[in-house]
Amino acid sequence: MEFFHTLLNWITNAAILLFEFIGVAFITGYGVYGIVCFFKRDDKMRLKLAKGLATGLEFKLGSEILRTVLVRDLSEIAIVGAIILLRAALAFLIHWEIRNEEMHEESAPKNANR
């Protein structure tokens, strides 16, 4: 039984690190991409950046959910729960921003090349 407990801890820690790494990679990559789009004066820069941040945040949220498997006492549960709530609120706000930006794009008049 101890073997399975150790195996579960090892797999969970590896998955947490993988999800954290992917989340950081997305956030960093899209942050740099957003800077490039800003200097190129890309009109869709905010939308592209928000989608990248949302994707990265979803991976980070997944790692926090996996972290609940390893929690052993009540204070750790409270900390992990607060982090999950904060990241979920951030994800909600970013998705709200994406939705508003997409609606703004649809309602904006298209520039016709003449």
Side-chain angles (χ1 to χ4, degrees), residues 36-49 101-102 104-105 108-111:
V36 170
C37 288
F38 174 77
F39 285 115
K40 287 184 175 181
R41 306 269 190 241
D42 187 353
D43 292 338
K44 296 183 180 183
M45 183 265 309
R46 289 180 57 151
L47 184 60
K48 292 174 183 177
L49 181 60
E101 195 68 29
E102 287 174 339
H104 177 71
E105 265 187 23
K110 305 287 187 224
N111 290 338

Side-chain angles (χ1 to χ4, degrees), residues 9-97:
N9 280 340
W10 186 85
I11 291 171
T12 305
N13 281 324
I16 289 170
L17 286 175
L18 178 66
F19 281 17
E20 288 281 340
F21 177 77
I22 293 170
V24 168
F26 263 93
I27 292 169
T28 304
Y30 273 91
V32 171
Y33 181 62
I35 292 169
V36 170
C37 288
F38 174 77
F39 285 115
K40 287 184 175 181
R41 306 269 190 241
D42 187 353
D43 292 338
K44 296 183 180 183
M45 183 265 309
R46 289 180 57 151
L47 184 60
K48 292 174 183 177
L49 181 60
K51 285 183 177 182
L53 292 176
T55 303
L57 194 57
E58 295 296 330
F59 278 103
K60 304 275 291 160
L61 186 58
S63 74
E64 290 302 328
I65 292 169
L66 279 174
R67 198 177 310 275
T68 62
V69 172
L70 303 177
V71 172
R72 296 290 175 233
D73 62 12
L74 196 55
S75 65
E76 288 180 36
I77 291 173
I79 291 170
V80 170
I83 291 170
I84 288 172
L85 286 175
L86 178 63
R87 289 189 178 169
L90 286 171
F92 173 78
L93 290 172
I94 290 172
H95 285 291
W96 179 76
E97 178 71 24

